[in-house]
Amino acid sequence: MVPGNDWLRQPLWASWSADGIRPATLFVSTDVQSGNRFILSPLSGAGGVSAESFPVGQDVAVDDIAVSNAAFISARFPWLTPTARLNLSEGTSRILADGGYFDNSGADTAMELVHQLRTFGLSQLACAQGNPEIADQQCDCPIVVVKSFSAPTS
């Protein structure tokens, strides 16, 4: 870890900011009981419709985990590290294993995130064009898509 950089110690929900320069990180794990994908990410609902995600919004900040723990949960290798128990709420937990059991490359997760962003963008476009009835949510949340990146100058 780089001295003075405490990113890995931050709570997962606080590890990314929409106006920051650090990309959002999604950690993929596998729910042992269901066999489905389980996403650990600062983006609420990043798993889409086919996966659970944690944390869900900032309401769980008290029970949140550090970024380093999310990374370790997503990289549980058989015979080296046991499965992890993640407490979601009082009396509710998930047993999680390596994310490679479900999505070894992360491509499924990336494609679902792209689909979510595209759907959201089309909904916001419908709002901007004066068609809020075809949008599935409120028309008060602008979205800006930046196609290139350059590091800020000091």
Side-chain angles (χ1 to χ4, degrees):
M1 190 161 71
V2 178
N5 183 349
D6 63 348
W7 179 72
L8 289 173
R9 293 187 192 112
Q10 288 183 348
L12 187 59
W13 70 266
S15 66
W16 176 76
S17 171
D19 59 355
I21 63 169
R22 180 176 287 130
T25 308
L26 283 70
F27 299 97
V28 180
S29 59
T30 304
D31 183 334
V32 171
Q33 185 174 358
S34 69
N36 290 330
R37 194 166 31 132
F38 192 96
I39 310 298
L40 301 133
S41 168
L43 303 174
S44 180
V49 295
S50 68
E52 278 189 88
S53 62
F54 176 87
V56 179
Q58 295 184 3
D59 295 336
V60 296
V62 174
D63 299 326
D64 202 359
I65 60 173
V67 172
S68 59
N69 290 345
F72 190 45
I73 288 171
S74 72
R76 298 288 179 152
F77 300 108
W79 295 292
L80 295 177
T81 51
T83 56
R85 177 182 300 274
L86 178 65
N87 294 321
L88 301 178
S89 61
E90 186 67 35
T92 305
S93 63
R94 296 289 183 275
I95 304 298
L96 302 173
D98 190 278
Y101 287 115
F102 187 92
D103 184 12
N104 196 35
S105 68
D108 287 343
T109 303
M111 292 306 295
E112 280 207 13
L113 187 57
V114 166
H115 175 73
Q116 284 179 296
L117 290 171
R118 182 175 288 137
T119 301
F120 179 76
L122 291 173
S123 174
Q124 294 303 304
L125 179 63
C127 286
Q129 293 173 339
N131 298 319
E133 65 275 358
I134 63 172
D136 62 349
Q137 51 198 344
Q138 296 288 334
C139 295
D140 59 357
C141 183
I143 184 169
V144 176
V145 177
V146 178
K147 292 184 177 182
S148 63
F149 175 79
S150 60
T153 57
S154 301

